[in-house]
Amino acid sequence: MGPSIKTVDFLVIGGGVAGLRAAIELAPKGSVLVLTKDTISESSTGYAQGGIAVALSDEDEVCIHFEDTIKAGDGLCREDAVRAMVEEGPGYILELISWGAEFDREGSRLSFTMEAAHTRRRILHSHGDSTGKEVERALINKVRTYSSVSRYDFAFTLDLIIQDNRCIGATVLRGDSVITIFAKAVILATGGAGQLYSRTTNPMISTGDGIAIAYRAGALVVDMEFIQFHPTTLYSRGAPQFLLSEAMRGEGAVLKNIHGKRFMPEYHEMAELASRDTVTRAIVSEMVKTKSKHVYLDLTHLDKDFVKNRFPQIYSTCLQYDIDITEDMIPVCPAAHYIMGGVSTNLDGETSIEGLFAAGEVACTGVHGANRLASNSLLEGLVFGARAGKKAVSCIRKGNTGSTELESDKREIIASDASSPASFDAEKIRSSLRQLMWKKVGIIRCEKSLTAARNWLRKWDVIMNTSFNTRRESELRNMLTVSHLITEAALFRKGSVGAHYRSDYKSRGERWERHTAFVNAMAQEWID
Ligand code: FAD
Ligand code: SIN
């Protein structure tokens, strides 16, 4: 039996905040198919803790949110993108509330918390520290009101189908079969790539698939050297690398080294509320000085009931590992958290390939520059997911669909790919790759470490021409591609900006305000 073929108006790859918000925009205009490679709840969106930044409180203004975002981005934000996000953000949040999203309140008023590098309390949160679940719940419920939207879960997108630099669909692994899905527009919303690193806050689905498949299809990929490392994840034997929200520091938690000494005031005037890259590097510096694998996050001076009520998920998770956060200092260490770079888009989510849109963490609108301001990501997903959806609607008029001729060509390619045996140990390489990226392309990089990483990655190049049969193997191929892109971009930028820190080039370097870009064939260049 040959592989099956399906045709829809709009194919949305990813069911996190960006994909769902795009689907809502597309639903009234045609048939929409949303793909997720796991269950719908397995996404970074679902795990988001701290909240959503939005200038809605009485003490705040859109222009202050704009300034804070630009400052955190360390000179590399695209101002028009930031402006679109902070100006349109309040409207999208109010709309989300009208769809049933419930954010925590003090009396009848919305409650806003503080996070690092924000100069106002502007972070909305839900159930204390489970904001992502609530955002996802509201979006899924809204999507369900449209009969035009269907969903395939456990449907792994292998590659995009490109004809004359136009994206006309994707090939998808579902169970043991490969399906070819044709669409008038494709929206990539596949999230991030934290799983490239052995220490990460990201769920298992975050393997950089969207960046890799867009790159293979010839899309422009930019700013790949900028990986954000979250300062505080649980570091305890047998415990998961569980995120300890920045909101904890926003509510007064402090960082101490293993000797119990608070250190952040020595590193930055904003102390624990300095930007994420600054806090992360300060922690690394203390770990080196004290020859320790962690530091401590301390909330024990805060009111116990307040802590339990404000961070119920974190409280109960830590308790499972015998850490009572109201009484014990929490051992923490940084971990890979977010990728600022990705598939280059304009403000409407259009990529360099016609018919292909990208939104959310997979995309690089330039909104986060070299370092994302905390809690701007969910907002970005809402704003640019909707924008991409609105723009993709215009493809319906262009009659963008694959021909019968192409369908039969594709069938042959897929059939031969699916039958070749694998000849490498994907699990072993995956594990080695994640450690390599953490050790050599991590928080602090230099020519030597990056070149060592490059050499290892080149050794694994031989398997790139092998066939990839399962989801795990295909993920590995994507992880290798994205690791290459990050490593090459990090070598290319001989200077330190935002989250990209080179111990051999501590200053910004010449013409640092340009962006690194990859077109096909691993060629790098600078773009303005
Ligand atoms: P995701 O939510 O990650 O969704 C990706 C989707 O793509 C999934 O449905 C997945 O199945 C699908 N997918 C991936 N690859 C494929 C494939 N090959 N084929 C088919 N489907 C595929 N940001 C904030 O603003 N505030 C916070 O408080 C916050 N807390 C966070 C806490 C944690 C633990 C983490 C990990 C991140 C946090 N972030 C936070 C960041 C934020 O959650 C993410 O950047 C954002 O949710 C990304 O949304 P997305 O829609 O782009 O991708
Ligand atoms: C957190 O709660 O610390 C995560 C917030 C974010 O990544 O924006």
Side-chain angles (χ1 to χ4, degrees):
M1 199 176 69
S4 57
I5 291 171
K6 186 174 171 68
T7 302
V8 291
D9 291 320
F10 305 108
L11 178 62
V12 178
I13 308 176
V17 59
L20 292 173
R21 189 58 192 81
I24 290 166
E25 215 56 54
L26 295 164
K29 308 290 178 183
S31 56
V32 185
L33 176 60
V34 178
L35 304 180
T36 69
K37 73 173 177 181
D38 209 284
T39 61
I40 186 88
S41 52
E42 207 45 33
S43 65
S44 286
T45 300
Y47 289 97
Q49 290 184 359
I52 305 192
V54 63
L56 271 176
S57 83
D58 293 344
E59 66 170 49
D60 205 0
E61 286 172 39
V62 161
C63 63
I64 308 176
H65 189 188
F66 175 85
E67 279 160 22
D68 289 350
T69 302
I70 297 281
K71 195 166 174 209
D74 205 17
L76 280 179
C77 293
R78 291 197 186 268
E79 291 196 3
D80 52 354
V82 178
R83 195 161 287 116
M85 183 182 74
V86 298
E87 283 177 359
E88 294 173 18
Y92 283 109
I93 295 292
L94 294 174
E95 178 186 61
L96 194 65
I97 293 173
S98 77
W99 292 341
E102 289 180 13
F103 294 108
D104 296 336
R105 291 177 183 262
E106 282 154 27
S108 60
R109 295 165 79 90
L110 288 166
S111 161
F112 296 88
T113 192
M114 188 65 152
E115 283 185 2
H118 288 271
T119 57
R120 296 288 186 280
R121 291 181 77 89
R122 68 162 67 92
I123 323 294
L124 285 176
H125 43 92
S126 195
H127 306 290
D129 52 6
S130 297
T131 312
K133 272 199 181 54
E134 181 60 14
V135 169
E136 186 187 81
R137 187 191 66 79
L139 289 173
I140 290 173
N141 283 347
K142 181 68 185 170
V143 167
R144 284 200 179 118
T145 64
Y146 295 101
S147 57
S148 53
V149 183
S150 47
R151 215 171 80 205
Y152 284 175
D153 287 350
F154 295 101
F156 182 86
T157 306
L158 295 165
D159 267 309
L160 298 169
I161 305 172
I162 306 293
Q163 195 178 46
D164 303 329
N165 195 39
R166 175 185 274 215
C167 182
I168 57 167
T171 52
V172 175
L173 184 65
R174 197 171 178 222
D176 291 334
S177 328
V178 178
I179 329 167
T180 302
I181 301 172
F182 290 107
K184 293 173 180 137
V186 175
I187 287 104
L188 266 184
T190 49
Q195 284 295 325
L196 265 51
Y197 288 87
S198 57
R199 280 205 65 83
T200 182
T201 62
N202 286 194
M204 294 298 280
I205 57 108
S206 305
T207 51
D209 298 341
I211 297 175
I213 63 180
Y215 174 73
R216 278 199 294 276
L220 185 68
V221 171
V222 297
D223 284 352
M224 291 297 287
E225 65 275 35
F226 297 114
I227 305 292
Q228 180 167 75
F229 296 88
H230 196 289
T232 54
T233 60
L234 186 58
Y235 187 86
S236 183
R237 194 178 289 274
Q241 295 164 12
F242 178 68
L243 182 78
L244 295 157
S245 175
E246 197 152 276
M248 298 172 91
R249 278 174 282 131
E251 299 289 1
V254 293
L255 286 161
K256 293 183 173 170
N257 68 17
I258 50 152
H259 303 305
K261 180 175 177 291
R262 188 176 169 207
F263 55 85
M264 271 316 299
E266 289 164 27
Y267 289 86
H268 198 278
E269 59 191 8
M270 288 176 80
E272 280 80 4
L273 294 183
S275 66
R276 242 173 224 183
D277 55 329
T278 303
V279 178
T280 293
R281 284 193 293 272
I283 290 175
V284 171
S285 163
E286 286 299 308
M287 282 163 44
V288 170
K289 270 192 213 162
T290 59
K291 297 191 176 57
S292 165
K293 295 199 164 144
H294 65 84
V295 296
Y296 288 110
L297 186 66
D298 186 4
L299 298 88
T300 54
H301 53 288
L302 302 180
D303 179 76
K304 287 184 183 7
D305 288 334
F306 168 75
V307 170
K308 281 187 208 169
N309 292 330
R310 181 64 187 80
F311 302 109
Q313 186 199 176
I314 296 174
Y315 173 74
S316 62
T317 304
C318 289
L319 213 49
Q320 285 174 33
Y321 300 96
D322 301 328
I323 299 165
D324 180 342
I325 64 171
T326 66
E327 289 178 2
D328 306 318
M329 293 199 295
I330 315 165
V332 293
C333 157
H337 184 60
Y338 187 86
I339 182 159
M340 270 73 73
V343 183
S344 179
T345 71
N346 64 13
L347 298 191
D348 292 321
E350 291 174 296
T351 69
S352 59
I353 297 177
E354 205 183 329
L356 178 66
F357 297 77
E361 195 168 337
V362 67
C364 182
T365 54
V367 87
H368 306 303
N371 182 42
R372 176 175 65 95
L373 183 67
S375 288
N376 264 351
S377 180
L378 292 174
L379 190 69
E380 182 202 20
L382 280 180
V383 173
F384 291 99
R387 277 178 157 257
K390 284 187 201 339
K391 190 70 185 179
V393 166
S394 63
C395 292
I396 209 161
R397 289 189 291 273
K398 294 184 184 160
N400 185 5
T401 312
S403 65
T404 316
E405 195 185 331
L406 182 105
E407 289 176 12
S408 56
D409 289 352
K410 207 68 210 171
R411 200 175 303 160
E412 274 171 38
I413 298 165
I414 293 159
S416 65
D417 271 357
S419 61
S420 321
S423 58
F424 56 91
D425 185 344
E427 294 307 320
K428 189 163 169 23
I429 297 175
R430 188 184 186 115
S431 161
S432 306
L433 174 68
R434 298 177 75 233
Q435 287 174 53
L436 178 79
M437 291 299 286
W438 178 250
K439 287 182 186 146
K440 307 289 185 197
V441 197
I443 299 165
I444 296 173
R445 300 116 182 233
C446 65
E447 188 85 18
K448 196 172 161 207
S449 72
L450 293 168
T451 307
R454 171 193 272 169
N455 292 339
W456 267 107
L457 289 167
R458 284 186 179 162
K459 280 186 199 159
W460 286 321
D461 263 354
V462 287
I463 68 159
M464 295 303 267
N465 297 324
T466 328
S467 53
F468 295 81
N469 298 313
T470 62
R471 165 178 154 182
R472 294 285 288 182
E473 287 171 5
S474 300
E475 281 178 346
L476 175 63
R477 172 168 71 148
N478 294 336
M479 290 165 77
L480 286 166
T481 300
V482 178
S483 299
H484 268 292
L485 297 176
I486 295 170
T487 306
E488 293 302 323
L491 272 162
F492 198 58
R493 184 177 286 282
K494 295 186 180 0
S496 295
V497 186
H500 171 67
Y501 186 81
R502 295 263 315 235
S503 56
D504 49 350
Y505 293 100
K506 291 186 181 146
S507 61
R508 290 177 171 259
E510 273 179 34
R511 301 191 59 199
W512 59 270
E513 66 287 354
R514 292 173 300 170
H515 298 259
T516 55
F518 286 94
V519 278
N520 233 340
M522 286 288 177
Q524 298 123 284
E525 56 186 50
W526 292 106
I527 57 170
D528 291 326

